[in-house]
């Protein structure tokens, strides 16, 4: 594949939900042998935690699912609209904050809420912020981001008219 499909997951702090989403989606594409097809990142709309590693409970819950998080927190910026094909917001507030930086319809079209790809729910509910929760809140988020990643990957492959046969042929 020449041009990679570039995806950035975005939450508020970029230490809980969006690094969990980045890790879950990366893990899924690796398991499917599709890593070369993607560039995957995450960012926060706020700058509170720039340079920090993900929240220790996010890291622990991901590790228990076999996912190692390596991201360092960074703030979402206008340039991300120029680089990424898909900008995936965790909640409605992130969604609005991202859209407020967009300058045209093509940029606005890149922005979507992650749970539109969650097969267990109707509509596009928020990925709930676990920051003030105990471990159960973080595990709930991990379940959501893993499930939404499956729906998102299937949607992308369909949207780009990529079949598993194309991928196998590309590997040969
Ligand atoms: P996140 O969670 O947006 O999922 O990374 C939060 C992390 C930090 C803060 C809020 C939410 N904070 O206020 O510092």
């Amino acid at each position: 594949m020449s041009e990679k499909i570039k995806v950035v997951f975005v939450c508020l702090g970029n230490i809980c939900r969006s690094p969990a989403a980045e890790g879950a989606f990366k893990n899924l594409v690796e398991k499917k042998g599709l890593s070369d097809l993607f560039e995957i990142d995450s960012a926060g709309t706020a700058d509170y935690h720039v340079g920090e590693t993900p929240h220790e409970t996010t890291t622990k819950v991901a590790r228990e699912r076999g996912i190692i998080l390596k991201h360092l927190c960074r703030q979402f910026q206008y340039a991300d609209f120029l680089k990424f094909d898909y900008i995936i917001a965790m909640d409605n507030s992130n969604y609005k904050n991202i859209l407020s930086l967009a300058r045209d319809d093509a940029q606005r079209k890149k922005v979507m809420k992650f749970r539109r790809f969650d097969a267990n729910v109707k509509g596009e509910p928020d990925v709930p912020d676990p920051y003030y929760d105990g471990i159960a809140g973080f595990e709930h988020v991990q379940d959501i981001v893993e499930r939404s990643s499956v729906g998102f990957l299937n949607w992308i492959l369909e949207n780009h008219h990529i079949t598993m046969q194309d991928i196998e042929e590309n590997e040969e």
Side-chain angles (χ1 to χ4, degrees), residues 7-11 16-26 28-29 40-42 86-95 98 110-128 140-156:
V7 178
V8 61
F9 296 95
V10 184
C11 62
C16 302
R17 293 165 293 174
S18 61
E22 176 193 340
F25 191 69
K26 269 187 182 157
L28 177 65
V29 304
I40 304 161
D41 194 7
S42 65
Y86 300 107
I87 299 169
I88 307 300
M90 296 298 115
D91 69 24
N92 220 28
S93 160
N94 315 143
Y95 181 75
I98 297 163
K110 296 179 175 189
V111 189
M112 288 175 279
K113 286 183 70 183
F114 198 23
R115 289 191 86 184
R116 73 177 266 182
F117 305 106
D118 180 346
N120 277 22
V121 294
K122 284 209 171 76
E124 302 179 346
D126 292 343
V127 180
H140 182 48
V141 165
Q142 187 66 30
D143 290 338
I144 292 170
V145 299
E146 287 183 23
R147 209 164 53 229
S148 301
S149 290
V150 172
F152 184 40
L153 178 59
N154 289 338
W155 180 87
I156 288 182

Side-chain angles (χ1 to χ4, degrees), residues 40-106:
I40 304 161
D41 194 7
S42 65
T45 57
D47 65 357
Y48 314 138
H49 298 281
V50 169
E52 294 178 22
T53 53
H55 191 287
E56 62 174 343
T57 313
T58 300
T59 302
K60 172 182 153 71
V61 168
R63 197 190 312 117
E64 283 167 2
R65 311 279 181 103
I67 301 170
I68 306 298
L69 302 184
K70 295 178 184 153
H71 183 73
L72 291 182
C73 175
R74 72 173 185 91
Q75 188 172 25
F76 183 82
Q77 52 189 333
Y78 174 72
D80 290 318
F81 278 109
L82 308 180
K83 173 171 179 179
F84 290 96
D85 303 301
Y86 300 107
I87 299 169
I88 307 300
M90 296 298 115
D91 69 24
N92 220 28
S93 160
N94 315 143
Y95 181 75
K96 286 185 189 156
N97 285 328
I98 297 163
L99 283 181
S100 72
L101 298 174
R103 295 182 191 168
D104 61 35
D105 283 346

